[in-house]
Amino acid sequence: MTDIKKLKYQKIGDILIVKNDLNESEIKELVKRTNCKTILKYETHITGDLRVPTTKILYGTETETINKEHGCLFSIDASKIMWSMGNLEERKRIANKSNSDEIIVDMFAGIGYFTIPLAKYSKPKKIYALELNPNSYHYLCKNVKLNKVEDIVVPINLDNRNFHFHKNNNNNNIKADRILMGYVVKTNEFLEKAFQLLGNNGTIHYHDTVPEKLIESRPIEQLKSIGSIYGFELQKYEIVRIKKYSPGVWHIVVDAKFKKIDIV
Ligand SMILES: C[S@@+](CC[C@H](N)C(=O)[O-])C[C@H]1O[C@@H](n2cnc3c(N)ncnc32)[C@H](O)[C@@H]1O
């Protein structure tokens, strides 16, 4: 009999994700043990700016599911959109970071991975959830309704570099108290936009993939140097390791708090 313990898979709702092809008896055994409705094989590593996986159906037909995590519901089409198990602790950690006074921008919202737990548990004033991929945006909107956070979350389908705050009722520019930058590999290219949106005493959660030796230096230097162009000084920071990204390289997040030193 197939040893199911040796078969590696990830469960998203009632869909299994595997990395290798399976034979008929392995599929039968997995379906029996996990009660899944579909098994998907990720053909390639998640690629491209929109982080889209290439998948093949090994069993079943339906690719849409609802994943429950940390009291939140995430509707997702697992054949078209990524779900990172490795970010589980970060999704939980971010959930309680805000308070009811904050204006937040999630620059890479996806289907609401961080936006939904943050809205549900911290109940900030507003979260502007920006997402470029129309597919992910569709599920982001669905998840906002599923989790009943419509009064907090404003989902917007655009390239975050084109996002601008409107003026408030007193004709002042709105600024963000907190910015989530849940993106990797070239997150630094979006830092200028983040500082344009950030307010005094604001916090940026800056994700990056960094070689082990550079974890304490490179992201901090980037935050300091681009921040200074926009009149911000780094006040304090904490670096959290999320997961190993590739050999010798970590996916990290820096919680970085800034003060505006040239307030005009
Ligand atoms: C890797 S996912 C990150 C999801 C989530 N923040 C996390 O870490 O689990 C990145 C998301 O950013 C979106 N994205 C990439 N470039 C973008 C841009 N310029 N503006 C808005 N969204 C973008 C992608 O479509 C994708 O859904």
Side-chain angles (χ1 to χ4, degrees):
M1 199 176 85
T2 307
D3 185 357
I4 195 177
K5 284 184 199 131
K6 287 195 182 146
L7 293 174
K8 289 203 171 136
Y9 61 85
Q10 198 190 94
K11 200 157 189 260
I12 306 176
D14 49 7
I15 293 179
L16 297 194
I17 309 292
V18 295
K19 284 191 180 150
N20 300 311
D21 272 311
L22 302 174
N23 63 35
E24 251 181 62
S25 68
E26 287 171 331
I27 290 177
K28 222 171 145 189
E29 190 61 25
L30 271 184
V31 172
K32 195 170 125 196
R33 296 280 181 93
T34 65
N35 210 16
C36 66
K37 65 176 179 189
T38 306
I39 303 180
L40 285 175
K41 180 194 166 198
Y42 271 27
E43 296 269 67
T44 54
H45 198 65
I46 291 153
T47 50
D49 288 353
L50 301 184
R51 320 294 293 143
V52 179
T54 311
T55 55
K56 175 174 129 191
I57 297 184
L58 300 185
Y59 171 81
T61 51
E62 283 176 58
T63 55
E64 193 176 282
T65 189
I66 293 182
N67 197 31
K68 288 182 198 149
E69 183 186 273
H70 193 42
C72 301
L73 300 173
F74 295 94
S75 176
I76 184 170
D77 184 335
S79 70
K80 299 196 181 112
I81 300 163
M82 59 152 278
W83 178 271
S84 171
M85 291 305 269
N87 294 355
L88 164 70
E89 287 310 315
E90 184 56 19
R91 287 190 287 272
K92 284 191 195 164
R93 192 184 76 93
I94 213 75
N96 299 306
K97 280 283 171 195
S98 175
N99 60 54
S100 57
D101 292 330
E102 288 193 357
I103 303 272
I104 299 172
V105 177
D106 184 351
M107 286 178 71
F108 303 91
I111 62 165
Y113 310 93
F114 297 142
T115 282
I116 298 294
L118 193 53
K120 189 172 163 90
Y121 293 108
S122 286
K123 300 194 191 319
K125 210 185 271 174
K126 275 288 170 256
I127 304 180
Y128 295 90
L130 317 181
E131 174 52 44
L132 181 57
N133 180 343
N135 248 322
S136 300
Y137 172 74
H138 168 79
Y139 287 98
L140 170 65
C141 294
K142 229 174 149 179
N143 292 331
V144 167
K145 287 198 187 111
L146 263 178
N147 293 279
K148 300 186 174 56
V149 287
E150 298 99 316
D151 52 336
I152 295 173
V153 181
V154 184
I156 306 175
N157 183 203
L158 89 176
D159 185 320
N160 55 36
R161 286 165 289 203
N162 298 327
F163 175 74
H164 299 279
F165 279 123
H166 294 298
K167 290 195 184 289
N168 65 15
N169 294 342
N170 305 324
N171 212 27
N172 292 323
N173 276 323
I174 300 172
K175 289 284 181 186
D177 300 297
R178 187 175 299 278
I179 297 185
L180 310 184
M181 298 185 77
Y183 195 56
V184 291
V185 181
K186 51 179 186 176
T187 326
N188 61 314
E189 292 178 14
F190 296 85
L191 265 177
E192 295 218 2
K193 185 69 204 183
F195 282 110
Q196 287 163 17
L197 299 173
L198 193 69
N200 187 22
N201 293 318
T203 297
I204 295 181
H205 299 281
Y206 178 71
H207 290 241
D208 202 354
T209 35
V210 196
E212 174 115 41
K213 279 187 193 156
L214 301 179
I215 288 178
E216 301 294 327
S217 54
R218 194 182 75 185
I220 307 307
E221 281 157 20
Q222 285 171 331
L223 283 161
K224 278 186 182 166
S225 73
I226 300 180
S228 70
I229 299 170
Y230 290 88
F232 283 97
E233 192 175 72
L234 183 59
Q235 294 290 291
K236 60 177 184 176
Y237 66 87
E238 186 191 355
I239 302 172
V240 176
R241 292 180 190 221
I242 295 179
K243 60 179 185 289
K244 270 263 168 73
Y245 183 75
S246 59
V249 177
W250 280 84
H251 174 178
I252 57 115
V253 56
V254 185
D255 296 348
K257 185 157 176 127
F258 290 90
K259 187 175 171 192
K260 189 106 168 113
I261 45 176
D262 67 342
I263 300 172
V264 278

